[in-house]
Amino acid sequence: MGSRNRQRRQEKARRRAARTNAQRPRPPDSSPRPDEARRLRRTIWSAAGLIRGETSNQYVLSVLALNDVDPGSVVDIAETDIAAFVAAAWERGWLPSELVRHARRSNAAYGRVVAAAIAVDLAGRSAAELHPRWYADAATAAPEGHTDVEIGWLSRALAAEKIGPARAIHVVTDLIGLLGKLGRLPITVPPPGSDPRDWQRHDASPGGDAVEDPMLLRVRALLAQAESTTFEAEAETFTAKAQELMAKHSIDSALLWSRGGRSERPSSIRLAVDDPYAKEKALLLGVVATSSRCKVVQHGDLGLYSVFGFADDLAAVELLYTSLLVQSQAAMRAEAATAPTGSHVRGASFKRAFLFGYAGRIGERLESVNRSAEDVASHRSPTGGIPLPPGAGTAAGAGLLPVLVARSEAIDGEIAEQIGATTSARLGGRSYDRLGWDRGGQAADRAELNRAVRRREAGAPTSIPAPAPRR
């Protein structure tokens, strides 16, 4: 049987179950006995697709079997199981905000129900025993409005979503399947139950509690100016300066790491990449991460990407990717604003090609910036800052390559430890609108003009290489 036929049969079974439950009266007190509860839980898990080795026929039979069960009993069992799956998600590396987003991608109401479950989980924990960043993320995922944490919270959360008994079984079964199939993610913030003595390593990573590098503060200010100014030339210059500073700082950090005994270990951050055009946005993230000497791992079809690298480089990736994404969206809107109604410039194929061309050209520009920064580093003394005499640059530059290779190997080791074996993937395999590709590349060119920073930024003149002629 094909996968589409199975899906149609499963959906028909769900609809039959919903109609039957809507028509059948229920006794006022039908709480199952312990042995009945165990059997009912297995049936629910089977209908949720959590029992390994079961056939599609067994799945359909389990869905149909729920027709003869009081919806209230199913919701009561689901309340316990959903709470348990939410608590288990933290040990699997999931953050509360990621869990809500994951549920919301299936259905907006599912996201709100999961947020209520997180509020229940949070109410049973002491804030003093939670990592501050984890607690802040949980408080954001489950805002103050979620105050119903008593037994029966799931029934009330479903009622708030106007989900009646006829649909409740379908919804809670979906949620159990969604939460019960969560994969493992790298831990980016210490979860509940972790030893506070292990928090230090994570606090040194981007978003941690350690004092932020002044250079990164300057880069953030430059990118914020690039995003906020209404003058295109000014935005381009701010972005170019930020890119140059990050490239230089990455090399300086690598050399300091080498001289300091290489005690710092790589860590990771995780970014969500959502539709529309998630594939093209992911390409932009990949080229930005590569230029910052980091590596990206995609987590299946979750729309989540882990970026592995050293703390300063990871911070640079997050800053630059976010800013370039904002600027690319603004450039794409500007293209559409000048196009006549109905023009293909307003269509999905043009926008997809625009972002693909933009990402590709940004990768070329960042590679040029890195080459320039490495060339400058090769003509400085190993202690930094002091220019070397003529002829000595080659020897100094030769010492940089082994350091970069060692850091790359350390990142590979961290990926292997956190995730295990990975496979490489290359984006592509489709044709793209040529005009959109060219316009996206031109917008990326404009993001790196070879100009001095405006008087507002009291820095040295930039030395970003001029864009190569486009063919």
Side-chain angles (χ1 to χ4, degrees):
M1 184 191 306
S3 60
R4 292 188 177 180
N5 288 336
R6 284 198 299 271
Q7 291 172 358
R8 283 196 290 268
R9 288 186 61 183
Q10 292 167 2
E11 185 57 34
K12 287 181 181 178
R14 288 183 184 279
R15 287 199 294 267
R16 285 197 299 270
R19 287 195 299 269
T20 304
N21 277 317
Q23 298 167 1
R24 182 181 288 115
R26 299 297 177 189
D29 183 11
S30 57
S31 301
R33 293 188 296 272
D35 56 337
E36 293 176 343
R38 285 192 295 271
R39 288 194 294 269
L40 178 56
R41 173 170 281 111
R42 179 178 175 83
T43 302
I44 295 170
W45 281 34
S46 175
L50 296 184
I51 307 297
R52 293 182 179 179
E54 286 200 339
T55 65
S56 59
N57 287 336
Q58 290 172 311
Y59 165 87
V60 172
L61 289 174
S62 295
V63 172
L64 293 174
L66 293 179
N67 291 341
D68 299 322
V69 180
D70 173 31
S73 299
V74 175
V75 171
D76 289 344
I77 289 178
E79 178 173 303
T80 301
D81 290 351
I82 288 173
F85 283 133
V86 165
W90 314 146
E91 292 300 323
R92 289 182 166 270
W94 287 76
L95 290 173
S97 58
E98 293 171 339
L99 203 59
V100 171
R101 172 186 173 274
H102 181 56
R104 190 186 299 124
R105 294 179 80 201
S106 295
N107 186 294
Y110 291 7
R112 291 188 288 270
V113 173
V114 169
I118 292 172
V120 173
D121 182 87
L122 194 60
R125 303 183 186 275
S126 169
E129 298 175 353
L130 299 174
H131 189 281
R133 279 195 289 144
W134 194 95
Y135 180 79
D137 187 89
T140 301
E144 294 180 359
H146 290 291
T147 57
D148 186 358
V149 297
E150 302 298 328
I151 294 176
W153 64 265
L154 180 56
S155 295
R156 293 186 289 273
L158 294 173
E161 296 295 333
K162 296 181 171 53
I163 297 173
R167 189 175 163 225
I169 291 179
H170 169 73
V171 171
V172 299
T173 302
D174 268 0
L175 284 170
I176 287 175
L178 192 73
L179 298 172
K181 298 173 184 175
L182 293 176
R184 188 173 295 278
L185 297 173
I187 293 177
T188 56
V189 180
S194 58
D195 190 337
R197 291 173 295 183
D198 297 333
W199 292 0
Q200 183 176 3
R201 177 188 169 198
H202 292 275
D203 290 340
S205 63
D209 301 326
V211 178
E212 191 164 19
D213 191 307
M215 191 284 303
L216 293 176
L217 293 174
R218 188 181 179 195
V219 167
R220 180 178 284 114
L222 283 166
L223 294 176
Q225 288 174 308
E227 294 167 23
S228 62
T229 182
T230 57
F231 298 99
E232 183 178 306
E234 197 169 52
E236 295 159 1
T237 304
F238 286 138
T239 302
K241 183 61 178 178
Q243 292 167 347
E244 183 186 29
L245 284 174
M246 286 187 287
K248 177 181 178 297
H249 186 68
S250 177
I251 292 175
D252 289 344
S253 297
L255 294 173
L256 286 172
W257 174 77
S258 178
R259 293 196 297 270
R262 306 186 180 188
S263 58
E264 180 191 355
R265 289 182 55 190
S267 55
S268 65
I269 59 173
R270 194 157 47 247
L271 300 175
V273 179
D274 293 312
D275 282 325
Y277 318 119
K279 185 177 182 180
E280 289 70 28
K281 294 174 184 176
L283 177 61
L284 178 61
L285 173 60
V287 298
V288 170
T290 300
S291 73
S292 297
R293 301 176 179 84
C294 297
K295 299 184 180 183
V296 180
V297 176
Q298 178 183 357
H299 298 288
D301 59 354
L302 299 175
L304 294 173
Y305 294 78
S306 288
V307 185
F308 289 83
F310 288 85
D312 285 348
D313 294 336
L314 291 174
V317 169
E318 189 168 12
L319 285 172
L320 186 56
Y321 168 70
T322 303
S323 179
L324 288 175
L325 191 60
V326 169
Q327 294 185 59
S328 69
Q329 298 293 324
M332 193 162 56
R333 286 194 299 270
E335 289 284 348
T338 58
T341 303
S343 169
H344 87 286
V345 171
R346 295 173 178 261
S349 62
F350 175 90
K351 293 176 180 178
R352 187 175 291 111
F354 182 99
L355 290 173
F356 219 116
Y358 184 91
R361 189 58 177 160
I362 284 293
E364 296 172 3
R365 305 308 307 139
L366 291 175
E367 185 179 354
S368 295
V369 172
N370 277 340
R371 284 198 303 267
S372 177
E374 290 171 8
D375 184 63
V376 171
S378 69
H379 290 84
R380 288 185 296 166
S381 70
T383 56
I386 304 174
L388 293 172
T394 302
L400 176 62
L401 180 58
V403 173
L404 297 181
V405 170
R407 282 167 74 90
S408 178
E409 291 175 347
I411 294 171
D412 288 337
E414 182 70 11
I415 293 174
E417 179 181 334
Q418 292 287 337
I419 296 179
T422 60
T423 57
S424 298
R426 182 178 296 276
L427 295 177
R430 70 166 80 192
S431 59
Y432 282 91
D433 180 281
R434 179 58 185 267
L435 178 61
W437 183 287
D438 288 342
R439 294 289 178 83
Q442 292 165 14
D445 281 341
R446 291 194 300 270
E448 291 190 80
L449 294 182
N450 187 13
R451 299 186 183 188
V453 179
R454 300 288 182 182
R455 287 192 297 272
R456 272 197 281 169
E457 177 62 25
T462 60
S463 58
I464 305 300
R470 297 185 61 80
R471 299 175 180 175

